[in-house]
Amino acid sequence: MHRRILAPGALAAASLLLAIPASAASYSPGAPGIGDPYYPYYGNGGYDVSHYDLRLQYQPATDELAGTATILARTTQDLSSFDLDFLLDVSEVRVNGVKADFATSGQHELVITPKSPLAQGTQVTVVVRYSGVPSTKSAYGFDTWHRTPDGAVAADEPESAWWWYPSNDHPLDKATYDVSVAVPDGTQVISNGLLQSTSSKLGWTRYNWRQNKPQATYLTTLAVGKFDITTSTSEGGVPVVNAYSKDLGDNDGAARASVERTGELVDWLSGYFGPYPFSSAGGYVPNTTTGYALETQTRVYYSPKQFANGANTSVVVHELAHQWYGDDVSLKGWKDIWINEGFARYAQWLWSEHEGEGTAQELADYVYASHPADDAFWTVKPGDPGPDDQFDIAVYDRGALAIQALRNEVGDDAFFAILKGWPKEHAYGNASVADFEEYAEKVSGKSLSALFDAYLFEPTKPVAPAVKAVGAVAAVAQPKSWKQIEATNDVH
Ligand code: ARG
Ligand code: ZN
């Protein structure tokens, strides 16, 4: 061992080093993405969030949003720094009470460097103070914060959190939420879960919403505007909270005639999927010009356009089915989107059958027959569609066709056992298409890999006779409900 006399500068450097834990070499930055191949920078590495507390103020007139996010997390590695996904302007960050350095990086990364590095497996409290005008921000070409004539809405998939709260923005990291937002008196705030309380002071009304079950970041929603809020309880005991913009014009009646049936439809779906997994249900219809609907947890987002042709219970069934398939059991990676959209579409088919507007088999036959083998429809693989085709119609319709094929293969007893067993198997968790195949094989006792490959993973039309009654396909009339399903095809 060499001994040498240290120069004063070197000594200072050496004593600084002593402040860092002995294993400092193992401390490294958390990854800027959680590891999803479709979206390399979505989510982050090195920690797991358990709770978000968002305490905000929003002024509709100017689109100014300001406040504080308090994030409770646990480290999953020794961290020298870590990222949050966020677009607004940050003024201060504290980690475990101590001011931390922060910087922006890439399109939507907030890089936080705590004063002391964080050891693996420890609890961390992160406080982020921020403000900004969300409608002026964009990343990767997205600007999904939607202003309305009297407020704004955050509801999109997968990108919606970055415009209003800092997060580990990926379904793999679910957490509970308190969303507290103050708005000018006379304006309402809608979010997930149950409204705990409201309070007023100095011309502002604060709404305190709570989601007490794990929730993916993209399923966390915020709407500000002038709403009429209705409350009820379903026959099965689920509290229902719905909200309608006071500015829905001609769509108001049809919106209410659809969304007010939420309690009835939640109870009906429970018959197929098992007990409703959350402490409230409902939806809101803001005065947006967007066209889609979204399964925001417990409080579904509906565009008024969904109701332009009259009552649309089919879209309500679709979004409520997601509460089990997508929200309770969330995907592991965005390539698993079939578990969300295929099953939500299949629930619409079950509803069509229940309403006497065409059976699931007839609808499956119709999908099969209406796309010839050379149709680009069959080039989309629902089991791994790629980010550009994540919400392609094939993920929905070919995806539901695959589910009907599964039903025909395993028989109704096993099929409905799978449908109901899956949410229980992965309650409040995450699962992949591969996990689903494994589960379906376990319950049915059949090898299903050929069927899954043909229906979900080949870029070609599956060969008959895996679709029952395929010989009669040419004669299948368009089921009555088809127009309704088609009208909402590209929007939910
Ligand atoms: N998961 C939504 C639904 O099927 C789809 C949302 C698609 N996103 C969009 N911006 N159009 O209900
Ligand atoms: Zn959907």
Side-chain angles (χ1 to χ4, degrees):
M1 185 177 164
H2 292 281
R3 285 174 191 275
R4 16 184 220 119
I5 296 165
L6 294 171
L11 195 61
S15 59
L16 256 182
L17 280 173
L18 291 177
I20 298 177
S23 57
S26 71
Y27 285 73
S28 56
I34 208 165
D36 190 314
Y38 281 18
Y39 303 105
Y41 295 105
Y42 290 17
N44 305 289
Y47 64 95
D48 191 62
V49 177
S50 58
H51 185 74
Y52 292 91
D53 185 286
L54 311 177
R55 193 174 175 84
L56 311 173
Q57 179 161 22
Y58 182 70
Q59 173 53 267
T62 55
D63 193 36
E64 285 170 297
L65 181 69
T68 303
T70 303
I71 301 172
L72 308 183
R74 193 175 177 83
T75 53
T76 56
Q77 69 174 71
D78 288 342
L79 283 173
S80 55
S81 68
F82 62 93
D83 288 14
L84 288 166
D85 302 317
F86 198 39
L87 292 176
L88 298 186
D89 310 317
V90 174
S91 57
E92 185 180 285
V93 178
R94 286 180 184 265
V95 177
N96 294 334
V98 179
K99 273 190 194 173
D101 288 334
F102 59 91
T104 57
S105 164
Q107 300 245 343
H108 75 318
E109 301 294 317
L110 173 67
V111 184
I112 297 170
T113 307
K115 279 284 174 294
S116 322
L118 306 169
Q120 176 178 356
T122 54
Q123 283 299 132
V124 183
T125 303
V126 184
V127 177
V128 182
R129 292 174 67 96
Y130 60 92
S131 63
V133 177
S135 59
T136 64
K137 306 291 183 182
S138 68
Y140 307 99
F142 296 108
D143 54 352
T144 71
W145 177 264
H146 303 293
R147 288 188 78 182
T148 63
D150 55 14
V153 177
D156 216 316
E157 182 182 11
E159 302 85 6
S160 67
W162 317 336
W163 288 264
W164 68 284
Y165 71 99
S167 73
N168 188 15
D169 189 23
H170 193 279
L172 265 182
D173 193 355
K174 303 208 266 187
T176 54
Y177 285 80
D178 277 301
V179 175
S180 169
V181 184
V183 292
D185 287 348
T187 295
Q188 281 78 36
V189 177
I190 309 299
S191 188
N192 313 82
L194 284 168
L195 185 63
Q196 302 297 110
S197 63
T198 61
S199 64
S200 278
K201 76 173 182 219
L202 304 172
W204 294 80
T205 306
R206 178 168 289 280
Y207 288 75
N208 301 302
W209 290 90
R210 169 166 294 175
Q211 173 57 264
N212 63 355
K213 290 287 192 275
Q215 175 169 285
T217 44
Y218 82 98
L219 297 172
T220 307
T221 192
L222 174 67
V224 174
K226 296 192 191 303
F227 286 96
D228 177 32
I229 298 174
T230 68
T231 59
S232 57
T233 303
S234 82
E235 204 170 66
V238 178
V240 178
V241 180
N242 296 320
Y244 306 90
S245 166
K246 290 182 177 163
D247 187 22
L248 291 180
D250 286 351
N251 292 325
D252 186 83
R256 289 173 193 258
S258 314
V259 180
E260 285 302 304
R261 295 185 65 182
T262 294
E264 171 199 346
L265 296 173
V266 161
D267 289 352
W268 180 76
L269 285 167
S270 305
Y272 290 104
F273 298 150
Y276 182 72
F278 305 121
S279 49
S280 75
Y284 70 96
V285 192
N287 44 349
T288 55
T289 54
T290 52
Y292 56 92
L294 184 67
E295 62 269 26
T296 36
Q297 189 162 311
T298 66
R299 195 95 335 95
V300 169
Y301 162 78
Y302 299 100
S303 153
K305 285 187 181 165
Q306 297 289 338
F307 309 109
N309 301 314
N312 182 357
T313 48
S314 189
V315 70
V316 178
V317 165
H318 179 106
E319 304 308 336
L320 293 178
H322 277 307
Q323 303 304 308
W324 286 265
Y325 280 81
D327 296 9
D328 179 2
V329 185
S330 300
L331 37 73
K332 274 185 181 164
W334 284 107
K335 73 174 168 53
D336 300 312
I337 191 70
W338 168 71
I339 298 188
N340 291 14
E341 302 307 344
F343 286 84
R345 174 67 94 228
Y346 196 78
Q348 290 176 279
W349 289 8
L350 293 171
W351 178 243
S352 165
E353 187 163 335
H354 175 264
E355 293 291 275
E357 298 183 339
T359 65
Q361 184 63 59
E362 285 171 329
L363 290 161
D365 290 346
Y366 182 75
V367 166
Y368 191 85
S370 57
H371 299 283
D374 61 356
D375 190 329
F377 178 85
W378 301 110
T379 65
V380 177
K381 301 175 282 177
D384 188 3
D388 292 343
D389 287 330
Q390 202 186 326
F391 297 105
D392 190 275
I393 189 66
V395 173
Y396 293 69
D397 286 348
R398 184 179 170 177
L401 173 68
I403 294 165
Q404 183 63 25
L406 171 69
R407 179 174 171 179
N408 291 336
E409 179 69 21
V410 302
D412 276 6
D413 285 355
F415 176 73
F416 288 111
I418 293 165
L419 219 51
K420 197 177 274 186
W422 176 252
K424 201 171 167 191
E425 181 85 358
H426 295 284
Y428 309 117
N430 297 81
S432 65
V433 175
D435 294 331
F436 187 86
E437 183 180 333
E438 199 184 301
Y439 180 72
E441 290 186 334
K442 190 177 87 183
V443 174
S444 68
K446 291 198 164 190
S447 165
L448 298 169
S449 62
L451 182 134
F452 271 76
D453 285 352
Y455 281 85
L456 295 180
F457 292 105
E458 292 293 340
T460 49
K461 186 170 182 170
V463 202
V467 172
K468 223 198 238 170
V470 78
V473 144
V476 171
Q478 177 166 317
K480 264 186 263 160
S481 64
W482 189 254
K483 274 277 177 286
Q484 191 182 35
I485 290 176
E486 209 163 51
T488 58
N489 258 350
D490 54 344
V491 289
H492 63 85

